[in-house]
Amino acid sequence: MRQPNIARGATILAGSAVALLVGSGVQANATTIEFPQVPTLARGGLCWTSIRTWADTSPEWPGRAILNVRALPVSGVGPGSYPLAPLCEVRTMVAWRNTTTGATGSYDNVVVTGIYGSIQYALFQDTGPGVVEVTVSTDAASIPARGTFVVPG
């Protein structure tokens, strides 16, 4: 008995998805380490938010890590037609130091956030393998955060 076209298509699609998941393996080895949030004021009105930061590492990227930054929804009052839905910004700095190799660097970005939060900002960093310490801060009044993560070699 011959399967209808829809059933054949679903079977092929399901088989392809399983093969993709089994064959990739990248996600299974990736590690995400989230650091404490940084409560901060922001420019563009009387605004405040918290900044989330985290690092993604994987054996697929030896000696490298992705640093990620994202602001939570902003609170406060701003100018313009919608003062209770302000659009504010704050410069965010993620300074890192590899305690194994001594390498240092930073990821600086102006994070723009509104009532739904911000987009995700992310960038590869050539940290080298080892233990990496980070300090997250902003250029406005804030409570900096610290964290550590391990980068595979």
Side-chain angles (χ1 to χ4, degrees):
M1 181 159 126
R2 191 170 159 106
Q3 290 181 332
N5 286 339
I6 293 174
R8 271 191 307 228
T11 302
I12 290 170
L13 183 61
S16 298
V18 169
L20 180 63
L21 289 174
V22 171
S24 70
V26 173
Q27 284 296 78
N29 295 327
T31 301
T32 298
I33 305 296
E34 186 154 357
F35 312 125
Q37 293 181 10
V38 176
T40 185
L41 294 179
R43 291 177 300 284
L46 177 59
C47 303
W48 58 92
T49 186
S50 285
I51 305 292
R52 288 184 55 221
T53 54
W54 65 96
D56 294 319
T57 62
S58 173
E60 299 291 320
W61 327 308
R64 299 182 84 196
I66 300 173
L67 294 181
N68 303 274
V69 177
R70 184 162 195 251
L72 297 179
V74 71
S75 297
V77 179
S81 301
Y82 305 99
L84 298 179
L87 190 60
C88 299
E89 64 181 28
V90 65
R91 182 171 168 242
T92 303
M93 293 84 58
V94 183
W96 58 265
R97 179 176 175 271
N98 186 321
T99 60
T100 307
T101 66
T104 61
S106 67
Y107 177 38
D108 296 11
N109 206 353
V110 175
V111 176
V112 178
T113 186
I115 60 172
Y116 299 109
S118 75
I119 63 170
Q120 179 177 330
Y121 301 84
L123 186 66
F124 263 115
Q125 298 286 299
D126 292 321
T127 60
V131 177
V132 177
E133 294 178 343
V134 297
T135 301
V136 183
S137 59
T138 71
D139 67 347
S142 64
I143 301 172
R146 297 187 190 326
T148 60
F149 63 98
V150 176
V151 178

